[in-house]
Amino acid sequence: MANLVKNVLLLQKPLLLRTFVRQSSHSQELVLSSTKNNVTTITMNNPKKYNAWDMALTEQLADKFSKAATDSHTKVVIYTATDPYFCSGGSLAEFLGRKSPKGLQKMIRENNQKCFNIFIEFPKPLIAAVNGPGIGSGTTAPALCDTIIASEKATFLTPFRNLGVGPEGCASVHFERILGPDSASRLLVDCWRPTAWEALEIGLVAEVVTHDKLLVRAQELGEEWIRSGRERSIRGGGNVEEYKQINAKESNDLAEAFVSAEFLSTQLQFLKKKGKHRSLAGLILWAMLVSRPVWVKTL
């Protein structure tokens, strides 16, 4: 067993590196941007991967938001995605094997913190136009926007408890502020998946529209906000510095949880249910789990 663990850990880096290089060689526009009447629409555009927040997409997302923040022609931003999903959350698979467990922690902490600071620090009004299922960051990032307009096809899920990790995107504080303790608990503890209409009832969503009218309504609202001189505000009365500190703590806790025995076991069991426990990701998770008593001393 010791030799098998060693071989998996030695093989994982070059295998994943070759995959990463091969994928990177085919440059894709994973995030689109267009401006109409001073309203800029930023669209996640990787539907084959359910618009997951992998490193390639989040790098482009950060770039588009950075440009919109300083663009004098942009007064309001709409954040949306290419159908059928809005966003399936973070992508763990690409992190596995690219770093030592300690390096993995650092990468997760820094990447998670950077991604949510995009929304926390953004200086202009933000409209989340959620077109389909939003999982993890697909729910918590829209909640950091000024408002959410949802398609009738949208659903919302924050399955952190089921994954053996804590909340992200300031949800540990933000959800209770904007939704109240009961609804926050249903989302974060019970891992409840509300429909668009249920999300409207609890106050997570401000409007629900037919799917084909989602971007039309978001554009209308954006132009209304420009005429009224709307300024950026974090829902629930939070401020930027407070939320950056919350984000930093959650990101650190998340990074620690990702190398915990509970999380590794949960992920391995999930892959077993899907019949993928013998995949490269499954072998890496298994190797990390059985060798954890050794490498945990280096953290």
Side-chain angles (χ1 to χ4, degrees):
M1 179 179 288
N3 287 333
L4 180 57
V5 171
K6 181 180 179 181
N7 289 337
V8 170
L9 291 175
L10 286 173
L11 284 171
Q12 57 185 321
K13 289 187 179 181
L15 281 170
L16 286 181
L17 181 58
R18 286 198 294 271
T19 301
F20 179 73
V21 171
R22 184 166 60 248
Q23 291 173 344
S24 297
S25 64
H26 302 285
S27 59
Q28 300 180 51
E29 201 167 6
L30 301 176
V31 181
L32 309 176
S33 179
S34 62
T35 303
K36 177 183 177 182
N37 298 334
N38 300 117
V39 178
T40 294
T41 300
I42 295 176
T43 307
M44 293 179 288
N45 186 44
N46 196 10
K48 289 183 179 179
K49 293 188 177 180
Y50 309 105
N51 302 311
W53 270 18
D54 61 18
M55 291 191 71
L57 186 143
T58 54
E59 284 176 7
Q60 292 187 28
L61 191 67
D63 179 64
K64 297 294 186 184
F65 269 89
S66 177
K67 289 177 179 176
T70 58
D71 176 25
S72 62
H73 297 291
T74 297
K75 306 299 182 185
V76 172
V77 164
I78 297 168
Y79 173 52
T80 191
T82 300
D83 290 339
Y85 266 65
F86 176 69
C87 176
S88 60
S91 175
L92 175 64
E94 67 174 343
F95 289 111
L96 291 174
R98 294 183 61 189
K99 297 283 185 179
S100 65
K102 188 173 183 178
L104 176 65
Q105 279 190 314
K106 183 175 184 290
M107 184 179 288
I108 290 172
R109 180 175 61 251
E110 292 178 351
N111 194 61
N112 192 78
Q113 191 170 346
K114 180 188 76 172
C115 288
F116 286 107
N117 277 344
I118 292 172
F119 297 88
I120 295 168
E121 297 178 327
F122 195 72
K124 300 173 183 180
L126 281 168
I127 299 169
V130 180
N131 57 293
I135 302 171
S137 58
T139 292
T140 54
L144 289 170
C145 297
D146 294 64
T147 195
I148 301 175
I149 302 175
S151 156
E152 59 196 346
K153 295 183 179 182
T155 58
F156 301 86
L157 178 65
T158 50
F160 309 121
R161 174 64 67 90
N162 288 344
L163 295 173
V165 300
E168 63 181 13
C170 301
S172 61
V173 173
H174 189 55
F175 273 21
E176 185 168 337
R177 287 184 180 178
I178 66 174
L179 306 174
D182 292 342
S183 293
S185 178
R186 291 184 71 189
L187 287 165
L188 296 176
V189 178
D190 301 336
C191 300
W192 173 48
R193 187 198 299 259
T195 64
W197 293 106
E198 290 170 331
L200 178 66
E201 289 178 8
I202 65 171
L204 178 62
V205 164
E207 295 182 46
V208 178
V209 298
T210 57
H211 191 69
D212 61 330
K213 299 296 184 184
L214 178 64
L215 292 182
V216 173
R217 175 57 189 142
Q219 180 71 31
E220 288 176 350
L221 181 61
E223 293 181 19
E224 289 173 14
W225 282 5
I226 292 171
R227 289 192 294 270
S228 66
R230 170 94 178 209
E231 295 183 352
R232 170 74 166 125
S233 63
I234 297 175
R235 296 170 61 187
N239 64 69
V240 171
E241 289 308 314
E242 177 196 15
Y243 272 44
K244 284 176 67 176
Q245 290 178 15
I246 296 169
N247 182 32
K249 182 182 184 304
E250 287 182 347
S251 297
N252 186 68
D253 292 345
L254 187 69
E256 291 186 3
F258 266 110
V259 294
S260 68
E262 179 184 4
F263 176 78
L264 295 173
S265 297
T266 299
Q267 291 300 300
L268 192 55
Q269 288 302 315
F270 175 74
L271 289 179
K272 282 184 178 179
K273 289 180 181 178
K274 297 178 69 176
K276 295 183 178 180
H277 58 291
R278 296 188 183 277
S279 65
L280 180 60
L283 289 172
I284 293 170
L285 283 168
W286 174 81
M288 290 181 68
L289 184 61
V290 298
S291 62
R292 190 176 185 278
V294 177
W295 57 254
V296 74
K297 298 174 184 177
T298 68
L299 298 180

